[in-house]
Amino acid sequence: MASYDIILKRSEPVADGTLALYFDKPDGFSFRAGQCVRLVLKEPPETDDEGNGRILSLASAPAESELMVATRLRDTAFKRVLKGLEPGAELTLKGPYGDFVLPAASDVPVVFITGGIGITPVRSMLLQALDEGSSCPITLFYANRSLGDAAFLFELQQACAGRSNCELVTIMTQDTGWQGEQGHLDEAMLRRHVVNLQAPLYYLDGPPGLVSAMRSVLAGAGVPEDRVRTEEFAGY
Ligand SMILES: Cc1cc2nc3c(=O)[nH]c(=O)nc-3n(C[C@H](O)[C@H](O)[C@H](O)COP(=O)(O)OP(=O)(O)OC[C@H]3O[C@@H](n4cnc5c(N)ncnc54)[C@H](O)[C@@H]3O)c2cc1C
């Protein structure tokens, strides 16, 4: 698999305890929205059993000029080093990997169901589809405990605003003051936003517990398995 040297341009918080890192696109690198890469630290001052790299989805869309990944900052050697990197730091990028991607030129409705850091590949796919002028109906169910956890929410709201084919359903599971959907996604919530549950292709991703819970909801609602694509963020 191809390997590239990349230079950190900047990093910035995008939600509580969540860091986005931005890089120039290396020459010759291309990817499909939804794919991931392996990001490897060069000669880090500390390491751990998981090694110096992690698989991270590309949260940037191919149409954007920079590459961007985002991650929850937990207390592991990799994340501690990542958090301390200054602009100009050199890393290695390997990839891209994965087939958690949208079908080419399709009018089939798409439903994304994700939560927390699972938003990364979805941000890429949704922004790319809108950039390409896709007319396929897109519904994004995006769950977080509270507003502070919801990375990229404002820009996704802005991207969908005024587009008749894009609905963003923002769910808060632990914020009783939230004006939108609250609590865990269930069949009733799905039916409030998706007219014909059999029609769409479903994309579920994020921490494995969330993906398996969502898969059960869809199975219970009678959605055939071959309509469901999943990507589990092993390690959460
Ligand atoms: C296809 C794919 C795409 C992914 N995309 C992303 C992405 O876009 N963004 C992203 O952040 N991650 C993504 N991941 C997950 C990522 O690869 C890491 O596994 C994850 O970020 C955790 O890394 P870590 O250094 O925090 O923990 P690791 O050191 O990798 O954790 C190892 C083990 O320790 C446990 N652990 C570590 N720290 C804690 C803690 N503080 N509390 C509880 N348990 C802990 C973990 O549950 C895990 O079992 C993706 C994974 C896959 C497979």
Side-chain angles (χ1 to χ4, degrees):
M1 184 49 68
S3 175
Y4 304 84
D5 290 332
I6 52 170
I7 307 280
L8 179 68
K9 289 179 78 180
R10 66 186 187 286
S11 56
E12 62 190 32
V14 285
D16 292 347
T18 309
L19 191 70
L21 299 104
Y22 297 82
F23 308 89
D24 278 327
K25 260 183 220 170
D27 286 346
F29 179 79
S30 66
F31 70 104
R32 289 183 68 187
Q35 286 191 300
C36 56
V37 294
R38 184 168 178 81
L39 196 63
V40 184
L41 301 167
K42 286 192 173 179
E43 298 172 19
E46 57 172 328
T47 190
D48 56 26
D49 289 349
E50 296 289 319
N52 296 336
R54 296 289 187 278
I55 298 281
L56 298 173
S57 302
L58 288 168
S60 49
E64 292 180 289
S65 60
E66 300 172 308
L67 294 181
M68 186 263 286
V69 296
T71 191
R72 294 290 201 221
L73 290 175
R74 297 195 304 192
D75 195 18
T76 65
F78 177 83
K79 302 277 174 86
R80 283 193 295 271
V81 175
L82 202 65
K83 184 182 173 189
L85 291 180
E86 297 287 346
E90 198 173 293
L91 297 89
T92 301
L93 177 150
K94 297 182 177 178
Y97 307 106
D99 55 5
F100 190 64
V101 297
L102 292 174
S106 155
D107 285 339
V108 177
V110 168
V111 174
F112 296 110
I113 305 177
T114 194
I117 197 64
I119 196 63
T120 49
V122 175
R123 178 192 183 279
S124 177
M125 286 188 272
L126 191 145
L127 294 188
Q128 186 67 18
L130 296 181
D131 184 79
E132 290 172 358
S134 166
S135 58
C136 88
I138 299 172
T139 309
L140 164 56
F141 292 88
Y142 181 24
N144 283 277
R145 280 171 300 181
S146 59
L147 208 49
D149 292 323
F152 310 120
L153 179 59
F154 181 63
E155 67 172 307
L156 291 170
Q157 285 171 332
Q158 290 213 309
C160 280
R163 309 254 192 170
S164 58
N165 65 324
C166 184
E167 187 191 3
L168 175 50
V169 181
T170 309
I171 308 164
M172 296 299 165
T173 58
Q174 291 178 24
D175 179 354
T176 49
W178 179 247
Q179 296 296 308
E181 293 285 6
Q182 287 186 30
H184 291 285
L185 184 138
D186 57 12
E187 184 178 337
M189 194 190 291
L190 267 182
R191 290 191 184 282
R192 281 197 286 281
H193 301 277
V194 182
V195 181
N196 174 6
L197 291 187
Q198 313 299 318
L201 273 181
Y202 292 85
Y203 285 74
L204 320 182
D205 82 302
L210 176 86
V211 172
S212 100
M214 295 306 99
R215 200 200 282 270
S216 300
V217 170
L218 293 184
V223 173
E225 255 184 59
D226 64 3
R227 309 295 292 174
V228 182
R229 315 265 186 275
T230 61
E231 178 112 293
E232 295 190 356
F233 284 14
Y236 278 112

